[in-house]
Amino acid sequence: MKLVLVAGARPNFMKVAPILKGLRAYPEHFTPVFVHTGQHYDADMSDVFLADLGLPQPDHYLGVGSGTHAEQTAAVLEAFEPVVHAERPDVVIVVGDVNSTLAAALAAAKLCVPVAHVEAGLRSFDRTMPEEVNRILTDHLCDLLFTTCEDANANLRAEGIAEDKIHFVGNTMVESLLTFLPQAQRSAVGERLQLSRGDYCLVTLHRPSNVDDPNALAGLFGALQEIAEELKVVFPAHPRTQKRLREFGLWSPDKQAGSVVVLDPVGYVDFLWLEANARLVITDSGGVQEETTILGVPCLTVRQNTERPITISMGTNVLVGTDPRRLVAEAKRVLAGNGKRGSVPPLWDEHVSGRIVAALVTWWERRAPASVAAAAKEA
Ligand code: UD1
Ligand code: UDP
């Protein structure tokens, strides 16, 4: 079976890595082709993840870069179509909910190539989030939907997606975490930043609604400064966020803001160390809500909603909204020892890529006789 796997943005790499590794273990059965769209391109948003996760160099690098939603989505559509023509895969695998996910799925579906979506069915029910539009449209273009949790299965059923397309397999991001945690425990990032277990709060923020509006970002940054009076705050900032912090005059590399230490984004292994050893994590990331649940670290999510409610019902996550006063109050609750402990959701383990590969093989075997018959008829 020839499979094209598509990644483009930071959170995609940890989702494709275990699947690619699983497929590369059986070269007699699978020919995986790895495509990097180039949605993220800085070394610390891309190269470091290929290196940390042991990913091969991409077979195709599309170099689409940044742009408006239409520009970026269109650039992937245009650049990916010839790859599908050239490779003639049996299936295209897309992951997550970024613009590259939707564009690659759409290009393949229009060429009648079956598409599989890893992390299907998540819904925030908030269409002002560009990712929600990407999730819904991608799921409806796909032939195989690999889900991380029961609520995703229910969302897909409610949208009329046929039951036989839905495969509850677990969370590949968690498989990567469990694979790389031993290595992360040996990371020197703590020493480098003079951090010890439990003596700092880790922050990531990059949602446009939090960082593109001057008042919203100033309010949240002020809240972080207040929290930093009690506990050192370490903030590896996404390039979008760094740009805005500078633009709004809130921070610059030569004007560090008290105890809030703003850094460039860090690599995967170092970031896992920072997450695993933090007293508290404050974030608006999707993946970080999941990772903190597995690591048992209290997480405050600075959003009005989440497409990952299981991290609240079973995990360590608390949705705190975007009011800076509430964020400070909730952080103080955690610092007073009232952080959630949580438990591990079903199938969030190290066998997820194995389940995906098994489901692909079953699908292929069911499908192959029909295509073989069709090919024979054509001949
Ligand atoms: C994208 C995803 C978001 C995901 C996030 C993960 C979409 C719609 N959004 O948001 O779902 O949570 O990635 O990190 O797909 N930039 C750089 N260097 C880079 C990449 C980006 O400087 O390597 C800057 C550019 O100024 C760019 C901005 O960041 O315009 C935003 O990048 P973009 O890929 O459009 O969206 P993200 O905010 O990264
Ligand atoms: N991450 C990282 N370095 C950082 C910030 C995040 O390695 O400086 C990892 C994190 O461990 C998780 C993924 O990036 O695996 C989450 O990506 P991001 O927050 O960019 O996107 P989202 O999950 O919100 O789509």
Side-chain angles (χ1 to χ4, degrees):
M1 193 189 324
K2 189 169 191 183
L3 310 96
V4 166
L5 290 95
V6 183
R10 175 167 71 184
N12 295 161
F13 302 115
M14 31 313 255
K15 294 170 195 171
V16 295
I19 308 171
L20 202 48
K21 187 171 170 212
L23 294 170
R24 277 156 63 94
Y26 299 98
E28 67 281 23
H29 296 303
F30 305 112
T31 307
V33 176
F34 176 33
V35 176
H36 185 331
T37 67
Q39 174 170 346
H40 285 173
Y41 44 85
D42 288 347
D44 56 14
M45 296 296 287
S46 170
D47 299 5
V48 68
F49 296 100
L50 302 192
D52 277 11
L53 291 154
L55 279 163
Q57 280 309 305
D59 299 290
H60 299 270
Y61 182 74
L62 308 184
V64 301
S66 306
T68 65
H69 286 281
E71 286 165 351
Q72 194 172 55
T73 309
V76 177
L77 268 172
E78 271 200 62
F80 187 57
E81 185 179 61
V83 173
V84 181
H85 274 305
E87 296 288 354
R88 301 167 60 87
D90 297 301
V91 61
V92 168
I93 301 180
V94 299
V95 299
D97 55 14
V98 302
N99 285 344
S100 298
T101 312
L102 169 61
L106 182 55
K110 287 281 185 85
L111 295 175
C112 300
V113 172
V115 188
H117 184 202
V118 174
E119 201 185 87
L122 298 185
R123 298 289 183 266
S124 64
F125 302 100
D126 173 4
R127 289 207 188 193
T128 64
M129 262 187 105
E131 294 82 0
E132 183 73 352
V133 176
N134 292 342
R135 291 180 199 117
I136 295 168
L137 295 179
T138 301
D139 285 341
H140 286 261
L141 291 166
C142 282
D143 302 80
L144 291 129
L145 297 118
F146 295 119
T147 60
T148 56
C149 50
E150 284 292 1
D151 57 88
N153 300 337
N155 292 336
L156 293 173
R157 285 180 198 123
E159 290 175 20
I161 300 234
E163 192 66 40
D164 63 349
K165 290 186 177 179
I166 304 171
H167 303 269
F168 176 32
V169 291
N171 193 325
T172 55
M173 194 169 226
V174 172
E175 180 171 349
S176 278
L177 182 153
L178 296 173
T179 306
F180 288 95
L181 197 53
Q183 201 177 317
Q185 273 152 356
R186 298 191 295 274
S187 157
V189 69
E191 235 171 83
R192 204 165 68 237
L193 299 175
Q194 298 181 315
L195 304 170
S196 310
R197 185 170 175 77
D199 77 352
Y200 63 95
C201 164
L202 175 67
V203 176
T204 79
L205 295 173
H206 67 272
R207 294 283 153 223
S209 51
N210 283 333
V211 306
D212 285 356
D213 176 80
N215 290 330
L217 187 57
L220 292 173
F221 202 63
L224 297 180
Q225 284 168 308
E226 203 172 327
I227 294 164
E229 287 167 15
E230 285 192 37
L231 188 72
K232 189 167 179 177
V233 171
V234 179
F235 185 1
H238 186 288
R240 174 195 283 275
T241 312
Q242 270 201 36
K243 205 166 118 189
R244 297 304 189 208
L245 285 169
R246 285 175 203 226
E247 225 173 272
F248 304 154
L250 295 168
W251 171 87
S252 72
D254 44 344
K255 181 191 148 205
Q256 282 288 352
S259 303
V260 179
V261 180
V262 178
L263 309 167
D264 285 339
V266 298
Y268 181 60
V269 167
D270 287 349
F271 192 79
L272 285 186
W273 188 96
L274 290 173
E275 274 185 295
N277 290 287
R279 172 97 160 269
L280 160 69
V281 173
I282 294 173
T283 195
D284 58 13
S285 158
V288 172
Q289 294 172 59
E290 300 181 335
E291 290 171 342
T292 46
T293 274
I294 293 298
L295 294 166
V297 173
C299 176
L300 302 180
T301 295
V302 186
R303 286 176 44 186
Q304 304 293 358
N305 50 54
T306 177
E307 62 290 335
R308 292 162 162 90
I310 198 166
T311 60
I312 298 173
S313 59
M314 291 194 70
T316 58
N317 192 15
V318 176
L319 203 56
V320 298
T322 53
D323 174 0
R325 303 266 29 98
R326 168 113 195 262
L327 174 58
V328 173
E330 293 287 347
K332 288 190 173 170
R333 263 171 49 82
V334 176
L335 299 191
N338 298 316
K340 282 172 81 175
R341 293 193 183 280
S343 53
V344 176
L347 305 190
W348 287 25
D349 59 24
E350 54 275 81
H351 306 295
V352 184
S353 61
R355 292 185 199 104
I356 290 176
V357 173
L360 283 165
V361 169
T362 308
W363 166 82
W364 174 247
E365 283 170 353
R366 282 207 190 117
R367 204 170 173 276
S371 39
V372 169
K377 201 170 155 197
E378 227 173 77

